[in-house]
């Protein structure tokens, strides 16, 4: 049953993905007396809310949950597709595309840009990869970044060796290491990909969704409430630049602090709709250019035992070729297909021997790559209609060419090619959109928020998500965005404690 909307709370969180969940968890731990309301535009798919769909038992139930995540134009199990040119506009279960406005004339655009609308957001559908940023990916003005990443690993329950002992893991890693490790610093050599997973006592793999981030601490917090199917239309800001709450439908909820964690499109959209229109809002849009390839491992024996583990058959594991400044790419190597399908030659490959390679590039950041919002047109949800302006620069094309060379090196080391050459995916396919409410060390017009994620010029308003990351990060960004959310949540918790103490000392009312 839908709960009645509250009149006032201490903190409103908009969006229930990994970063919104991180705010709720840290506040529940550090300021348990604070009242917190989390509003999500989409439905709750699971009990507990925010569970990863890979953990749902049964294909039909999983597909039903994915379809419910696909907004107002669901596509799972629909034929024909409701979208034009599906070869360019990738339609992945659990996500929905911009119906239009994704490519301006003469620009590359982001034809594959996708979102999820459900409790848990895209965190209910993600791959769980949690590498740490390195070198130029790191945020130089955050001296405590490593400690924040440690805390993010705790919330996401990251396992740094999730497939230790899998039959082909050592083969894949040693072959990649021979090709890539020479000259690399110890921490940036080929290694297992840290994954947000844990194993049950029976050995089955459980994928981290925002339900894990919320954890029992948040779910058992009597001062926390989750409101699904409750889209927020406005952030309420006073004339003197202080957040006052949010508008949910036609109801105003007063709040001392508001956190907008609604993804890289809808977070700047909500700020724009609320009159918070900083110069950098929506700008420095960063989608990681991506190239992919596949191989069949050569000269490996059939595995002695095959066991399903939460959607991946753990034969080759997931390998990681980290970013360096000399090789500014992030390589992810994981099993693609464990079924005995004759993809190469006439022989049936042993399960687990088909390995996919994905190389992500850091974008050449430019302010002109942006999401613009209309003052006159509305989208399907009644919000300012977004349009994408996005162009790959000469530097981006050079980076992609170099990444293709690197992925061919990796493929040559591993086995027999499947296909003739690496495929460059359509812009937007990475799902790793960043920068649209980027963080900065100073309010100089090139950022939307400061080092604690508080929006410049609006006291008490915070932003969260991959969109806060300001660097041309090439690795999977969720761990970093959760780390930034930890810092923001700690800041709010500290301010709540201080404000409440001051109010108590003067006999005031904290509301």
């Amino acid at each position: 049953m839908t709960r009645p909307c509250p009149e006032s709370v201490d903190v409103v969180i908009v969006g229930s993905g990994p970063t919104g969940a991180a705010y709720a968890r840290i506040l529940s731990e550090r300021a348990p007396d604070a009242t917190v309301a989390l509003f999500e535009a989409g439905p709750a798919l699971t009990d507990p809310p925010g569970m990863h769909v890979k953990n749902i038992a049964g294909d039909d139930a999983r597909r039903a949950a994915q379809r419910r995540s696909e907004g107002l134009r669901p596509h799972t199990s629909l034929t024909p597709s409701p979208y034009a040119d599906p070869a360019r506009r990738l339609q992945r279960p659990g996500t929905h595309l911009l119906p239009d406005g994704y490519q301006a004339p003469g620009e590359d655009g982001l034809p594959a840009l996708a979102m999820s609308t459900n409790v848990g957001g895209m965190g209910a559908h993600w791959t769980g990869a949690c590498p740490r940023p390195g070198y130029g990916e790191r945020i130089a003005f955050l001296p405590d970044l490593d400690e924040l990443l440690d805390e993010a690993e705790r919330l996401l329950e990251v396992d740094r060796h999730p497939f230790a002992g899998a039959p082909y893991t050592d083969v894949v890693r040693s072959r990649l290491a021979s090709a890539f490790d020479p000259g690399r610093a110890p921490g940036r050599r080929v290694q297992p990909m840290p994954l947000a997973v844990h194993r049950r006592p029976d050995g089955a793999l459980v994928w981290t969704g925002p339900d894990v981030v919320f954890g029992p601490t948040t779910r058992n917090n009597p001062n926390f409430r989750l409101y699904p199917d409750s889209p927020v239309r406005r952030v309420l800001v006073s004339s003197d630049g202080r957040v006052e709450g949010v508008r949910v439908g036609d109801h105003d909820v007063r709040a001392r602090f508001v956190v907008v964690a609604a993804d890289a499109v809808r977070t700047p959209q909500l700020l724009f709709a609320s009159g918070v229109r900083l110069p950098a809002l929506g700008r420095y849009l960063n989608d990681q250019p991506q190239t992919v390839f596949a191989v069949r491992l050569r000269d490996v024996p059939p595995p002695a035992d095959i066991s399903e583990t939460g959607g991946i058959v753990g034969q080759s594991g997931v390998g990681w070729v980290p970013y360096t400044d000399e090789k500014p790419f992030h390589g992810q190597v994981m099993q693609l297909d464990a079924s005995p399908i004759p993809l190469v030659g006439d022989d049936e490959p042993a399960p687990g021997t088909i390995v996919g390679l994905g190389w992500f590039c850091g974008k050449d950041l430019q302010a002109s790559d942006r999401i613009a919002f209309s003052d006159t047109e509305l989208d399907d949800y009644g919000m300012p209609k977004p349009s994408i302006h996005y162009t790959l620069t000469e530097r981006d094309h050079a980076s992609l060419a170099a990444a293709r060379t690197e992925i061919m090196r990796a493929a040559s080391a591993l086995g027999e090619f499947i296909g003739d050459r690496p495929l460059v995916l359509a812009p937007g396919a990475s799902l790793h959109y960043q920068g649209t409410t980027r963080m900065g060390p100073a309010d100089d017009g090139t950022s939307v928020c400061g080092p604690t994620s508080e929006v410049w010029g609006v006291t008490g308003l915070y932003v969260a998500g991959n969109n806060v990351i300001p660097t041309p990060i090439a690795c999977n960004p969720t761990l970093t965005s959760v780390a930034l959310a930890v810092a923001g949540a700690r800041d709010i918790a500290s301010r709540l404690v201080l404000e409440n103490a001051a109010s108590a000392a003067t006999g005031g009312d904290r509301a």
Side-chain angles (χ1 to χ4, degrees):
M1 182 174 68
T2 302
R3 296 186 179 99
C5 215
E7 293 299 321
S8 66
V9 292
D10 291 313
V11 184
V12 162
I13 302 170
V14 183
S16 60
T19 57
Y23 268 88
R25 172 75 168 272
I26 295 298
L27 289 168
S28 295
E29 292 176 346
R30 294 195 168 212
D33 293 333
T35 52
V36 180
L38 192 156
F39 297 102
E40 167 57 53
L45 309 176
T46 57
D47 185 14
M51 190 169 73
H52 200 297
V53 298
K54 286 184 180 180
N55 301 328
I56 298 174
D59 291 343
D60 289 345
R62 190 176 305 114
R63 280 193 292 267
Q66 290 168 334
R67 182 176 175 82
R68 294 182 67 208
S69 304
E70 293 168 0
L72 302 179
R73 305 184 186 216
H75 61 80
T76 291
S77 300
L78 284 184
T79 304
S81 163
Y83 298 112
D85 192 10
R88 286 280 293 168
R89 306 202 68 207
L90 303 179
Q91 296 177 59
R92 279 169 280 203
T95 70
H96 55 98
L97 304 168
L98 281 182
D100 51 43
Y102 52 82
Q103 185 173 19
E107 298 180 355
D108 296 290
L110 294 178
L113 185 148
M115 298 165 280
S116 296
T117 302
N118 53 274
V119 172
M122 207 169 283
H125 310 277
W126 69 315
T127 64
C130 287
R132 289 196 173 210
Y135 297 96
E137 296 179 303
R138 292 174 61 86
I139 304 170
F141 56 83
L142 293 182
D144 56 347
L145 179 60
D146 287 316
E147 188 274 328
L148 295 173
L149 291 167
D150 289 340
E151 184 72 344
E153 287 185 344
R154 177 181 75 91
L155 299 184
L156 291 164
E157 296 195 3
V158 173
D159 187 339
R160 297 190 184 185
H161 301 277
F163 291 101
Y168 302 137
T169 296
D170 290 341
V171 171
V172 170
R173 194 174 308 140
S174 64
R175 291 180 183 179
L176 290 173
S178 67
F180 292 99
D181 279 359
R184 285 176 174 254
R188 307 307 288 177
R189 293 172 184 164
V190 173
Q191 57 194 275
M193 175 67 77
L195 295 176
V197 297
H198 64 275
R199 290 191 184 276
R200 298 199 309 248
D202 63 3
L205 201 68
V206 179
W207 294 83
T208 292
D211 66 316
V212 173
V213 181
F214 284 124
T217 302
T218 307
R219 286 193 292 273
N220 296 333
N221 179 0
N223 293 318
F224 170 79
R225 292 288 184 272
L226 169 65
Y227 298 85
D229 296 309
S230 300
V232 172
R233 303 298 185 188
R234 297 288 186 276
V235 176
L236 306 176
V237 180
S238 68
S239 58
D240 61 349
R242 174 174 288 276
V243 79
E244 295 186 326
V246 296
R247 181 162 299 152
V248 186
D250 58 0
H251 182 79
D252 287 353
V253 179
R254 316 308 293 185
R256 299 157 73 184
F257 297 91
V258 171
V259 181
V260 183
D263 77 32
V265 175
R266 290 175 286 193
T267 292
Q269 181 186 50
L270 181 56
L271 267 60
F272 181 90
S274 306
V276 182
R277 301 185 180 185
L278 287 83
L281 186 72
R283 293 187 177 273
Y284 301 96
L285 176 60
N286 173 9
D287 166 64
Q288 299 163 344
Q290 182 183 5
T291 182
V292 297
F293 202 35
V295 298
R296 174 183 174 180
L297 297 178
R298 72 166 73 91
D299 302 326
V300 293
D305 178 59
I306 301 170
S307 59
E308 292 282 351
T309 52
I312 285 184
V313 178
Q315 305 300 329
S316 60
V318 184
W320 175 30
V321 182
Y323 172 106
T324 69
D325 285 340
E326 294 74 25
K327 301 289 185 181
F329 329 107
H330 158 79
Q332 184 168 310
V333 181
M334 65 186 295
Q335 186 175 314
L336 267 188
D337 191 336
S339 63
I341 299 173
L343 296 175
V344 180
D346 297 325
D347 297 330
E348 292 184 348
T353 60
I354 303 299
V355 175
L357 302 92
W359 253 241
F360 297 84
C361 305
K363 180 72 172 71
D364 183 16
L365 299 183
Q366 47 187 1
S368 58
D369 290 330
R370 70 194 191 280
I371 306 174
F373 299 100
S374 174
D375 274 315
T376 57
E377 295 182 87
L378 302 179
D379 67 8
D380 290 347
Y381 291 89
M383 297 294 285
K385 187 174 182 178
S387 59
I388 305 299
H389 296 271
Y390 195 82
T391 303
L392 297 175
T393 67
E394 290 185 9
R395 183 177 174 183
D396 290 325
H397 287 293
S399 182
L400 268 170
R404 288 195 296 271
T405 299
E406 293 295 293
I407 208 170
M408 290 296 285
R409 284 181 63 205
S412 298
L414 290 173
E416 304 168 22
F417 298 171
I418 298 176
D420 297 328
R421 63 183 66 85
L423 172 68
V424 175
L425 296 185
S430 79
L431 306 180
H432 296 166
Y433 320 121
Q434 302 156 49
T436 54
T437 60
R438 71 201 302 248
M439 175 183 289
D443 184 8
D444 60 2
T446 66
S447 60
V448 171
C449 65
T452 63
S453 298
E454 189 173 21
V455 172
W456 299 120
V458 185
T459 302
L461 176 59
Y462 290 68
V463 284
N466 296 340
N467 34 283
V468 176
I469 298 172
T471 57
I473 196 171
C475 70
N476 311 70
T478 301
L479 182 73
T480 300
S481 63
V482 170
L484 302 182
V486 167
R490 287 175 176 176
D491 191 57
I492 292 175
S494 296
R495 292 169 67 175
L496 282 168
V497 170
L498 289 173
E499 289 177 14
N500 290 344
S503 178
T506 59
D509 183 350
R510 76 175 190 172

